Amino acid sequence: MSKSNLTRRGVLKTGAIGGAGLALPTMFASRANAYTNEPTGSTVTLGFNVPQTGPYADEGADELRAYELAVKHLNGEGDGGMINTFSSKALKGNGILGKKVEYVTGDTQTKSDAARASARSMIEKDGAVMITGGSSSGVAVAVQALCQEAGVIFMAGLTHSNDTTGKDKRANGFRHFFNSYMSGAALAPVLEANYGSDRKAYHLTADYNWGYTTEEAIRSSTEAMGWETVAAVKTPLTQTDFSSYIAPVLQSGADVLVLNHYGGNMVNSLTNAVQFGLREAQANGKNFEIVVPLYSRLMARGAGDAVKGIFGSTNWHWSLQDEASQTFVRSFGTEYGFPPSQAAHTCYVQALLYADAVERAGSFEPCAVVEALEGFEFDGLGNGPTLYRAEDHQCFKDVLVVRGKENPTSEFDLLEIVEITPVDQVTYPPDHPQFAGGALGSCNNGA
Amino acid sequence: MDAIILQILNGLDKGSAYALIALGLTLIFGTLGVVNFAHGALFMIGAFCAVLLSRILSMSYTTIDETRTDFLGNPMQVNVPYAYDFFGEAAGQTIIEWAVPLAILFAIPIMILIGVAMERGLIKHFYKRPHADQILVTFGLAIVLQEIIKYYFGANPIPTPAPPAFTGSFDFGALLGFDANQILYPYWRLVYFIFAAIIIGAVFAFLQFTTFGMVVRAGMADRETVGLLGINIDKRFTIMFGLAAAVAGLAGVMYGPIYSPNYHMGMDFLVLSFVVVVVGGMGSLPGAVAAGFLLGILESFASMREVINIIPGINQIIIYLVAIIILLARPRGLMGRKGVMED
């Protein structure tokens, strides 16, 4: 029979040592790998993934200018920009959580695989804790999925497809930019007021994801007010001359042409349509009209005089007179000598929103940032009162309906705001059919 | 019927561009035996000659208009073109508006110079190398040229409008007895087609009716024998390279009002132009022109809604489909000659 040496003190001592021993690896692990790229020094690195080459390089350059300005303002340099007008007062101009903001850039080339590669490099090699930017929905969806897997936050740049916050939404991804549904909902009443409810529309649609969702959105909004869709023809993304698609439009019985095109496609199809005399033509006893659902000032510049009098929608425009917009225009204009584009605006705002969410959360941890952004209501960033809806991570705010200006006073003064459509008119339920499928899932801290 | 006429007209202007680019490609291939993938870039540089001339003519000085303000609320800076001071406002404005046609004169020397420099500086070193090497080096050159253009002119398309006299469209239907507005065709596309026909005719006449052309044609047929006759065929071939560059450049200059020039436009046309050359028959100038128009018109027809409804996606593949059929039936292309590009 053996004698046990167990004493109360011995058990406590052994238990404490054993417990500490067991806890030690987890403690270290949680400190070292709490989440992907946890900033440990005096700086934090953000990754700006924008098209620096390829067809949207000019738009990408404007996005980068906006990010650089945002970094300046976050670090307390310059005039502070919209930090001064932002309703949240968490940002102090001392970096983010006291860490100086640094950044790395990647080139999306407006190709999904290149964009993923550059985002991956910024996350894995440069230690970026957040990725933001881009000028295409294909890129946004691809990079958003990558960021979800990697456990970093993705603040989308210019992406207008319903799918970004619809069937392809992700918990780690957030979109400030508006979407195809909102364009349709905002445009329809203006089109009805100007062109009536008895119209026959002919759609030319870029043959890719964004084109489909935009056509669907515009069709359902215009058909709901009585318009008939005569035909919808898909055009290859690589198409440069649209004459063979434009020429049959007048013979189809249509009296409105909707160009679901963006970028170079929009510039060329609109130019072709105007050259083929569609603006002067008459059909069904009415003036023939053209509609461009998504306008961009940079694209409008490419199309030149062809944009005059043509309706479209946009996320933001530098001619807005609210204090926040004017502050941003002054800040950007003083720095670069020309007014910012809508792409620049949305990117600047996304950078500020992320920084603010981190400050409010008190941590860079992605799930804490997601929690801070979900359901966040804010103002003072140029779009009026805005909600980051928790269910799909889409911003809900007023939408601008614009028209190509007849007498521009400068090369930037190409669009005039016709109507600011209130947010209520462009809000939809999270389970709306145009956004069906896919799930937000749960946030991923990575590591 | 009216839809068919409309698509034939559409195909003609697209075909004109294909034919002009393919003509230059065939000239280079026929004379120098080089597969020049930088030829699309020459088309693009031609278009940018129009952009450059337009910018030169629009060069201006700045005055301050105290009565207006800019986007920052400062007094508006107004640019006044020097052309207004030199020629008066009305005449100056007209000169600026006619930049594209004027660019023809501007582009010819520039394009010949670029063509000759390209041939003497780079391509001549690759004459004896395999075609794969030539393709790689000329493709690389094309990328370098388009990046240079992008650096100076940006990535966005730059509107290059036609002179006001040629904007708007011509009611072709009314001329043929159809209802008004049924067959509208932009004036500038008509101008482009006529211009292309003149250039093509001039190149053929030059080769057919001049001593220079005769020597070049002889050199194309049998370079060695022409050389043995004591004729410096290399010098003539260099000039032909310059000429081919000028043809591509002029095609680009006049295409500006149809398709706002951007740095990538050469690549957009290059692949199709190669298909045109192959379908027409390697080294055959009439073949290149005929195939250019044929494929341009077929592409237009394939874009018709009625056709797409029957065969979805046909608009994207028609050119390659027709190329396969023609090459299966006639392996040397429409007018290809025996012995060209064959071992």
Side-chain angles (χ1 to χ4, degrees), chain B:
Chain B
M1 184 61 194
D2 45 358
I4 292 171
I5 296 172
L6 196 54
Q7 293 302 353
I8 290 174
L9 285 171
N10 275 330
L12 284 182
D13 61 64
K14 210 176 295 179
S16 304
Y18 293 157
L20 282 177
I21 301 174
L23 185 67
L25 269 174
T26 308
L27 273 177
I28 292 173
F29 180 75
T31 51
L32 304 168
V34 172
V35 182
N36 182 22
F37 262 62
H39 202 69
L42 294 171
F43 173 74
M44 179 266 297
I45 290 174
F48 275 90
C49 281
V51 173
L52 182 63
L53 184 69
S54 170
R55 290 199 175 169
I56 291 171
L57 294 176
S58 310
M59 274 170 75
S60 46
Y61 58 91
T62 308
T63 57
I64 304 290
D65 184 350
E66 299 284 354
T67 60
R68 293 191 290 165
T69 53
D70 68 4
F71 72 100
L72 289 174
N74 302 320
M76 176 82 91
Q77 294 188 336
V78 182
N79 294 324
V80 182
Y82 287 110
Y84 286 9
D85 290 355
F86 293 146
F87 307 106
E89 190 168 338
Q93 185 60 31
T94 306
I95 290 171
I96 292 169
E97 286 167 352
W98 279 75
V100 172
L102 289 173
I104 293 174
L105 302 174
F106 178 70
I108 290 173
I110 291 180
M111 294 311 300
I112 291 177
L113 208 67
I114 290 175
V116 170
M118 223 163 107
E119 197 270 342
R120 288 288 92 184
L122 183 73
I123 291 175
K124 75 165 185 179
H125 303 294
F126 288 83
Y127 285 157
K128 294 192 170 64
R129 302 280 281 271
H131 284 306
D133 289 10
Q134 295 172 355
I135 289 171
L136 281 175
V137 75
T138 52
F139 195 71
L141 180 65
I143 293 170
V144 169
L145 290 174
Q146 72 176 33
E147 288 302 315
I148 290 172
I149 292 291
K150 194 175 84 178
Y151 180 79
Y152 287 104
F153 292 92
N156 272 344
I158 301 168
T160 317
F166 296 109
T167 51
S169 45
F170 172 58
D171 196 341
F172 224 87
L175 199 72
L176 300 173
F178 292 100
D179 292 341
N181 284 343
Q182 285 300 294
I183 309 177
L184 291 175
Y185 195 65
Y187 286 118
W188 188 258
R189 287 176 186 254
L190 208 58
V191 169
Y192 193 84
F193 172 64
I194 294 167
F195 174 79
I198 292 171
I199 295 285
I200 291 167
V203 170
F204 277 94
F206 178 71
L207 290 174
Q208 208 65 36
F209 304 121
T210 65
T211 315
F212 186 99
M214 189 183 70
V215 173
V216 169
R217 280 188 293 122
M220 283 169 82
D222 188 346
R223 185 184 182 131
E224 205 174 331
T225 308
V226 174
L228 288 172
L229 291 172
I231 296 168
N232 184 354
I233 195 73
D234 282 353
K235 193 174 149 196
R236 285 176 169 75
F237 280 0
T238 304
I239 294 170
M240 283 315 291
F241 199 102
L243 187 72
V247 170
L250 290 181
V253 167
M254 295 293 276
Y255 212 67
I258 295 176
Y259 175 39
S260 297
N262 69 73
Y263 76 101
H264 203 262
M265 66 190 292
M267 286 292 180
D268 297 338
F269 276 85
L270 180 75
V271 177
L272 287 176
S273 301
F274 263 100
V275 176
V276 168
V277 170
V278 174
V279 169
M282 295 296 285
S284 165
L285 295 173
V289 175
F293 283 110
L294 175 73
L295 293 184
I297 291 170
L298 282 174
E299 199 185 1
S300 282
F301 274 107
S303 311
M304 288 172 72
R305 189 161 44 98
E306 294 80 358
V307 180
I308 297 172
N309 286 344
I310 299 167
I311 316 171
I314 186 71
N315 51 338
Q316 311 225 28
I317 59 161
I318 180 74
I319 287 201
Y320 307 101
L321 196 66
V322 172
I324 291 169
I325 293 168
I326 289 179
L327 292 178
L328 280 175
R330 293 180 63 86
R332 292 194 184 97
L334 288 174
M335 299 183 192
R337 288 171 296 133
K338 193 177 175 185
V340 178
M341 269 293 259
E342 290 170 8
D343 292 327

Side-chain angles (χ1 to χ4, degrees), chain A residues 73-229:
Chain A
H73 292 166
L74 289 171
N75 285 334
E77 299 162 29
D79 60 9
M82 283 199 284
I83 290 179
N84 301 315
T85 58
F86 192 10
S87 56
S88 170
K89 297 299 171 195
L91 295 169
K92 300 283 184 292
N94 61 345
I96 309 175
L97 290 180
K99 294 181 190 293
K100 187 172 187 251
V101 181
E102 294 185 341
Y103 66 89
V104 287
T105 68
D107 181 7
T108 67
Q109 300 173 34
T110 312
K111 293 176 185 161
S112 299
D113 50 348
R116 280 176 69 96
S118 57
R120 186 181 292 280
S121 163
M122 288 190 286
I123 294 167
E124 292 177 358
K125 288 188 188 153
D126 305 314
V129 71
M130 181 272 276
I131 299 294
T132 179
S135 212
S136 135
S137 293
V139 162
V141 165
V143 176
Q144 182 164 265
L146 175 91
C147 290
Q148 178 72 35
E149 290 158 21
V152 297
I153 294 290
F154 175 63
M155 302 295 280
L158 194 154
T159 160
H160 187 248
S161 167
N162 287 342
D163 292 351
T164 311
T165 46
K167 75 175 177 56
D168 295 313
K169 56 183 172 281
R170 293 286 186 278
N172 283 33
F174 289 84
R175 168 162 68 178
H176 170 263
F177 205 70
F178 72 147
N179 57 38
S180 302
Y181 174 90
M182 294 173 173
S183 284
L187 266 172
V190 175
L191 295 178
E192 186 177 18
N194 284 275
Y195 303 148
S197 56
D198 178 26
R199 282 281 185 170
K200 292 181 166 56
Y202 192 109
H203 287 253
L204 287 182
T205 302
D207 197 359
Y208 73 113
N209 176 289
W210 172 78
Y212 310 148
T213 70
T214 303
E215 182 195 308
E216 186 186 13
I218 304 295
R219 276 181 76 157
S220 65
S221 297
T222 53
E223 285 171 7
M225 69 187 192
W227 284 24
E228 182 192 334
T229 304

Side-chain angles (χ1 to χ4, degrees), chain A residues 372-440:
Chain A
L373 279 171
E374 282 184 343
F376 179 50
E377 290 180 51
F378 59 93
D379 199 352
L381 292 180
N383 296 103
T386 305
L387 163 72
Y388 238 132
R389 188 159 74 178
E391 288 84 350
D392 52 9
H393 295 184
Q394 168 70 52
C395 267
F396 285 82
K397 53 194 169 9
D398 299 346
V399 171
L400 306 184
V401 176
V402 290
R403 180 170 49 197
K405 212 167 184 178
E406 291 290 346
N407 296 306
T409 54
S410 73
E411 59 178 315
F412 312 111
D413 183 32
L414 301 172
L415 304 174
E416 59 183 343
I417 298 167
V418 177
E419 185 156 311
I420 301 177
T421 307
V423 59
D424 295 346
Q425 284 184 34
V426 298
T427 302
Y428 51 86
D431 58 351
H432 188 281
Q434 288 185 34
F435 297 82
L440 204 55

Side-chain angles (χ1 to χ4, degrees), chain A residues 229-299:
Chain A
T229 304
V230 174
V233 178
K234 300 210 171 12
T235 58
L237 195 55
T238 51
Q239 192 73 30
T240 51
D241 183 5
F242 289 85
S243 57
S244 45
Y245 295 94
I246 300 276
V249 173
L250 274 179
Q251 297 165 342
S252 68
D255 45 41
V256 176
L257 172 64
V258 182
L259 295 172
N260 300 307
H261 287 150
Y262 188 68
N265 277 177
M266 184 281 246
V267 171
N268 292 320
S269 64
L270 181 57
T271 307
N272 286 171
V274 173
Q275 281 172 352
F276 271 79
L278 261 52
R279 293 306 311 281
E280 295 87 38
Q282 293 270 321
N284 307 326
K286 306 177 187 99
N287 284 335
F288 195 94
E289 304 293 351
I290 303 172
V291 178
V292 176
L294 177 60
Y295 251 132
S296 129
R297 191 196 76 212
L298 295 171
M299 309 306 167

